[in-house]
Amino acid sequence: MAQHVLETDGQVCPFPLVEAKEAIALLAIGDELVINFDCTQATDALPRWAAEAGYPVTNFDRVGSAAWTITVQKS
Amino acid sequence: MLVTGLLVGIVLGFVMQRGRFCVTGAFRDLWVTGNTRWLTAFLIVIAVQSVGVFTLDALGVISLSSSPFPWLSTIGGAFIFGFAIVMAGGCATGTYYRAGEGLVGSWLALIFYALFSAVSKTGALAPAVTAARGVTVEASTVHGLLGVSPWLLVAVLAVAVAALARHHLRRRPAAPMATLPARRTGIAHLLFEKQWGAFSTALVIGVLAIVAWPLSWATGREAGLGITGPSSNIVNYLVAGDAEVIDWGVYLVIGILLGSFIAAKASGEFRVRIPDALTTVRSIGGGALMGIGASLAGGCTIGNAMVNTATFQLQGWVAFGFMIVGVGAATRLFITGPSKARLAAAGQASAPAAPAPASVRS
């Protein structure tokens, strides 16, 4: 199981979600995608996408002022 | 009592920031994922406000008037506006509240939106905009056109929106949705941390949109929520010094900026964020086109798609439709088209080594 990091800081919505979808399409089952983002609306859009796609979220936290990280596992 | 505009604005900015209420996102989702959750939230605002506004009208607190429908400029302007809000990454209110979160791209979009609203309403483009808005048909409201009571339309809208909301509330995602770890409790958690529901946020905004009518009316500004006119007025005041243009709406939009700043700051979500070169250019271009589009169409996503729809003006509903079409065109051009091309390229290039986009580090 590998972990991949997607940096989307500075990108406004919906680009963090669009890039996350592209990145996870290329991962193997079981691999994790760490998405770092600073678009406020993605705090709603990213976990909702993971939940609806059935991907487990193994980490979701703030990393500073207006900065977040979420780890989604491909399943 | 112009200060009531400031208060409504502060609450509105606060609620929009905390609720992540984004009209651009609502329209864009239709084209990106086909999801109607945020569009339903937007329709809830219209339906709630519609009940309130026609009640206020019946009670004589306000009196709704109508004018001939400038169909040509509404269609063209709404399409331009819809296209522009995807470029700018937010509609008029979205841009105001993101500016309050510290996004420099939204500051630029806001400045160019306000500037080009003034250019289109009272400046160099005003003769062209006035001429385009002179192309009208006699009909002005949906109920007038159909020859029915507006209450029939209010009832139909309320029932349809309730059915849509019910559909979404019953739908459960495949897995529970992850939430951020709580660090606060009680009222502080509720106000500054908890994820607000899209529909509860919409209910609050609907109530604020109703309250705006009598408060604005009392100051002589006979309208509900509006963003483009006030933004143009700010520019006119700043460059010409005419204090007469400072009306209830100007206080409202300044309030939105303040309210979202307060919400973002208190939630640890404020930070000055500098966009990259491409986002900067798109924010400026999008902002300028938003000003022109909204002036042509007679309002933005708020003035037209949220307020003129609630009063069943033809201009509101036609603008609503063509904004969605404009959003679709820009979404395809800037978002889904390039994304599909990248995925196709990555698929073709999938050599034995693990393929990954440039931005992914293993």
Side-chain angles (χ1 to χ4, degrees):
Chain A
M1 187 193 88
Q3 202 174 55
H4 306 258
V5 181
L6 178 65
E7 297 289 353
T8 70
D9 280 10
Q11 299 211 36
V12 290
C13 289
F15 293 104
L17 177 59
V18 169
E19 292 208 350
K21 281 184 179 172
E22 286 175 27
I24 211 153
L26 304 170
L27 297 191
I29 302 284
D31 279 8
E32 285 187 336
L33 183 66
V34 179
I35 308 152
N36 295 324
F37 61 99
D38 66 2
C39 170
T40 314
Q41 289 70 40
T43 59
D44 175 59
L46 288 173
R48 184 168 300 277
W49 157 68
E52 287 181 354
Y55 297 144
V57 171
T58 55
N59 181 42
F60 182 29
D61 210 350
R62 307 165 190 83
V63 289
S65 283
W68 299 269
T69 183
I70 187 167
T71 306
V72 177
Q73 188 176 39
K74 184 162 182 182
S75 62
Chain B
M1 285 298 281
L2 291 173
V3 73
T4 59
L6 192 69
L7 293 175
V8 171
I10 288 175
V11 179
L12 190 62
F14 189 98
V15 171
M16 285 182 159
Q17 199 281 335
R18 294 312 306 148
R20 282 87 169 93
F21 191 86
C22 176
V23 185
T24 309
F27 292 0
R28 203 174 47 204
D29 282 351
L30 294 176
W31 303 97
V32 178
T33 58
N35 189 298
T36 56
R37 177 170 161 265
W38 279 107
L39 185 75
T40 303
F42 186 71
L43 290 168
I44 288 174
V45 179
I46 298 175
V48 168
Q49 191 193 177
S50 202
V51 173
V53 168
F54 281 104
T55 305
L56 289 171
D57 185 58
L59 294 174
V61 180
I62 61 172
S63 60
L64 296 172
S65 62
S66 52
S67 48
F69 168 43
W71 61 276
L72 183 64
S73 61
T74 301
I75 291 174
F79 180 86
I80 294 171
F81 186 82
F83 192 90
I85 59 180
V86 174
M87 287 178 74
C91 70
T93 40
T95 298
Y96 268 96
Y97 92 70
R98 282 194 189 78
E101 287 181 338
L103 268 78
V104 176
S106 295
W107 298 359
L108 293 170
L110 188 55
I111 290 167
F112 278 83
Y113 163 62
L115 177 64
F116 275 80
S117 299
V119 167
S120 307
K121 282 178 182 294
T122 52
L125 291 177
V129 169
T130 307
R133 286 190 67 76
V135 182
T136 58
V137 286
E138 266 314 308
S140 61
T141 60
V142 181
H143 44 280
L145 192 69
L146 298 177
V148 297
S149 157
W151 287 104
L152 179 67
L153 299 178
V154 174
V156 169
L157 180 67
V159 169
V161 171
L164 258 175
R166 194 177 130 98
H167 161 76
H168 280 279
L169 289 171
R170 287 188 150 196
R171 208 167 136 254
R172 288 271 167 265
M177 195 171 138
T179 52
L180 287 164
R183 289 177 187 172
R184 309 187 207 206
T185 52
I187 192 90
H189 171 70
L190 186 70
L191 285 180
F192 302 117
E193 198 172 61
K194 191 178 186 301
Q195 188 102 31
W196 290 16
F199 298 165
S200 32
T201 302
L203 286 174
V204 178
I205 294 174
V207 171
L208 287 169
I210 297 171
V211 168
W213 282 90
L215 292 179
S216 178
W217 214 275
T219 68
R221 179 183 171 274
E222 298 186 344
L225 292 178
I227 311 293
T228 310
S231 303
S232 160
N233 289 352
I234 292 177
V235 173
N236 273 305
Y237 169 69
L238 289 177
V239 299
D242 180 9
E244 284 284 298
V245 298
I246 300 290
D247 62 3
W248 192 88
V250 168
Y251 279 86
L252 174 81
V253 294
I254 292 171
I256 294 174
L257 206 56
L258 282 175
S260 82
F261 171 73
I262 293 167
K265 191 78 190 163
S267 321
E269 294 179 351
F270 177 85
R271 184 160 51 86
V272 176
R273 282 164 270 184
I274 310 289
D276 59 22
L278 183 63
T279 310
T280 304
V281 172
R282 282 189 187 163
S283 298
I284 291 173
L289 287 175
M290 278 165 68
I292 298 170
S295 302
L296 273 172
C300 64
T301 27
I302 300 302
N304 253 339
M306 201 172 98
V307 175
N308 286 337
T309 45
T311 56
F312 289 104
Q313 304 282 319
L314 284 169
Q315 178 179 291
W317 285 98
V318 170
F320 188 9
F322 279 90
M323 277 176 196
I324 292 177
V325 175
V327 164
T331 299
R332 190 154 183 177
L333 191 62
F334 298 120
I335 302 168
T336 50
S339 177
K340 276 189 191 133
R342 280 193 301 271
L343 270 176
Q348 278 175 0
S350 59
S359 51
V360 172
R361 287 182 282 116
S362 295

